[in-house]
Amino acid sequence: QSHFLTPYTCSKFSYDKSSSEGTADTQREHIVARKQAHVSGLGWARVGKKCRGEFSNDPLNFTVAREDVNQSGSFEWEGSEKKGKSDKDAAKWQPPLNSAWFASRVIRVKHKYGLSIDPAEEAALKELLSKEEQEELLELLSKEATLDEADFPVSCPQQITHAE
């Protein structure tokens, strides 16, 4: 058995490396929800099946999330109730942990597919990134550089890691 941590909550899950099924308690999560992509410029009538398929299956836009975090209900986080992500944009939902990673991923995905960011979402994303991180990300995007995971790594301090 191996373990992994989910970036939004640093929840720890076990899985069997020999199985491709994952765990029953986690879901593959689109960081930019397909509904958000649709209203941000990837309208299904405007683009072909190939582009929709690329977006829907792009590893840049995937993470693993606890089922209750990924859905539209709510989840408990350190004694308070938080709303699940579902199809919300960054103006309406931010993860409890690793917010700079989340913001950079949203910006990178939207940049890659030419999707719009409305003023409320832009303000929320700026709030999640420090001024230095904003400048670094804008510089990388302006050069159309290839961005990798090392740019904004996920961090799960031991004292915050939740066992599942």
Side-chain angles (χ1 to χ4, degrees):
Q1 287 243 332
S2 296
H3 302 289
F4 67 92
L5 298 172
T6 62
Y8 294 160
T9 59
C10 290
S11 298
K12 185 177 181 180
F13 289 94
S14 299
Y15 70 99
D16 181 353
K17 280 187 172 183
S18 64
S19 170
S20 62
E21 298 301 310
T23 78
D25 300 320
T26 61
Q27 294 183 343
R28 185 170 82 162
E29 204 279 303
H30 287 96
I31 296 165
V32 174
R34 293 186 324 171
K35 179 180 177 183
Q36 285 304 317
H38 180 79
V39 299
S40 298
L42 198 65
W44 296 155
R46 187 176 72 83
V47 299
K49 279 185 177 181
K50 182 179 180 194
C51 186
R52 291 192 309 263
E54 266 181 45
F55 176 84
S56 294
N57 295 300
D58 188 341
L60 178 65
N61 194 31
F62 281 131
T63 190
V64 176
R66 289 184 355 207
E67 184 176 10
D68 60 343
V69 173
N70 192 32
Q71 298 300 314
S72 60
S74 59
F75 63 97
E76 187 171 321
W77 179 254
E78 297 186 347
S80 64
E81 194 171 311
K82 302 278 187 197
K83 294 287 183 193
K85 182 177 177 289
S86 187
D87 60 3
K88 296 175 185 76
D89 70 9
K92 296 180 181 85
W93 188 89
Q94 297 92 32
L97 298 173
N98 295 304
S99 57
W101 173 85
F102 172 75
S104 72
R105 274 305 209 28
V106 168
I107 294 166
R108 291 160 54 193
V109 168
K110 288 201 166 197
H111 177 76
K112 180 176 182 176
Y113 290 94
L115 305 177
S116 65
I117 296 175
D118 66 39
E121 187 177 22
E122 180 181 3
L125 291 166
K126 283 181 177 178
E127 225 174 270
L128 296 176
L129 294 169
S130 71
K131 183 141 180 77
E132 183 179 294
E133 290 167 331
Q134 289 177 40
E135 290 170 3
E136 179 183 335
L137 189 58
L138 287 172
E139 183 179 332
L140 289 168
L141 290 175
S142 70
K143 293 179 183 176
E144 298 201 27
T146 303
L147 304 174
D148 61 26
E149 292 300 322
D151 296 325
F152 294 92
V154 171
S155 175
C156 292
Q158 271 190 312
Q159 68 271 22
I160 302 178
T161 303
H162 299 275
E164 296 293 321

